[in-house]
Amino acid sequence: NIAPRHVWSPHPNLMLGFVGLEGDVQSLSEDLKVQVTAKRNRALGFGTDKVERRISPPALACITSHVLFEKRGYFVEPIVVGLIESTRKPFLCAMDMIGAQSFSKSFVCSGAAAKSLYGTAEALWKPNMEPEELAEVCGRAFQAALERDCLSGYGVLVYLITKDGILEFDLASRND
């Protein structure tokens, strides 16, 4: 439906989504993969298990913010979402092009249709939704925003991070 997909998942409880220019998305994604790999042997932001160290959502958000501010040339607005392993609480962080972070306990939006998404998401979102209901609300919010913003393209991929891993929903939309 949407090609290429602008997401990176370092492990099943964490995702990084990118919105922006294709070349900058690819460059930032590669820079972040190198940074995370280089820091994997350090304890900062990673789990203490020697077998498999996983980066935490706040640590990935911090690294992403630092890379964006250091380079100051990427036309990319990333979103870091995940589950904090110790508490199983959601972590949501959106950033602008220079790495300024915006945290939320409910939802974050980014991209061309962000203004439409915020309005629709505020109307539809409520706390403590079941995974199926949350996926449906996300799909409805995206569809409504796409109807209002012709520059956003078409097609919707909804990723849902659960305790069991990442679920992907590919929603059909208008193509005219």
Side-chain angles (χ1 to χ4, degrees):
N1 190 359
I2 300 172
R5 297 187 179 172
H6 302 294
V7 295
W8 173 49
S9 180
H11 58 80
N13 290 331
L14 179 61
M15 288 191 85
L16 179 61
F18 303 97
V19 176
L21 297 178
E22 178 65 28
D24 289 349
V25 166
Q26 290 175 1
S27 296
L28 178 60
S29 177
E30 288 303 315
D31 280 355
L32 290 172
K33 288 175 186 176
V34 167
Q35 289 278 339
V36 168
T37 302
K39 294 181 184 334
R40 189 168 305 280
N41 293 329
R42 294 182 182 173
L44 183 62
F46 290 84
T48 57
D49 185 2
K50 294 286 185 189
V51 176
E52 180 183 345
R53 291 189 171 189
R54 294 175 157 196
I55 188 167
S56 67
L60 182 60
C62 185
I63 290 171
T64 305
S65 180
H66 284 276
V67 169
L68 283 170
F69 188 76
E70 179 184 20
K71 302 288 180 167
R72 281 187 230 135
Y74 289 129
F75 288 95
V76 179
E77 294 179 0
I79 294 179
V80 178
V81 295
L83 295 176
I84 298 176
E85 293 194 28
S86 59
T87 62
R88 306 306 290 173
K89 298 277 185 192
F91 176 85
L92 306 167
C93 177
M95 290 173 230
D96 64 7
M97 291 184 288
I98 61 167
Q101 298 176 344
S102 174
F103 300 99
S104 176
K105 295 196 183 298
S106 54
F107 57 86
V108 291
C109 303
S110 185
K115 291 178 182 172
S116 297
L117 277 170
Y118 272 114
T120 310
E122 286 176 351
L124 298 175
W125 185 86
K126 60 186 179 193
N128 302 320
M129 286 190 277
E130 293 297 317
E132 296 80 22
E133 183 183 12
L134 181 58
E136 180 182 334
V137 164
C138 289
R140 287 180 28 209
F142 277 117
Q143 294 290 13
L146 291 177
E147 294 290 324
R148 291 184 178 95
D149 185 5
C150 64
L151 298 177
S152 294
Y154 63 92
V156 178
L157 289 172
V158 176
Y159 294 95
L160 187 63
I161 300 175
T162 66
K163 61 181 176 166
D164 301 322
I166 298 171
L167 303 174
E168 180 181 323
F169 301 91
D170 189 356
L171 307 177
S173 66
R174 288 175 39 168
N175 239 356
D176 55 349

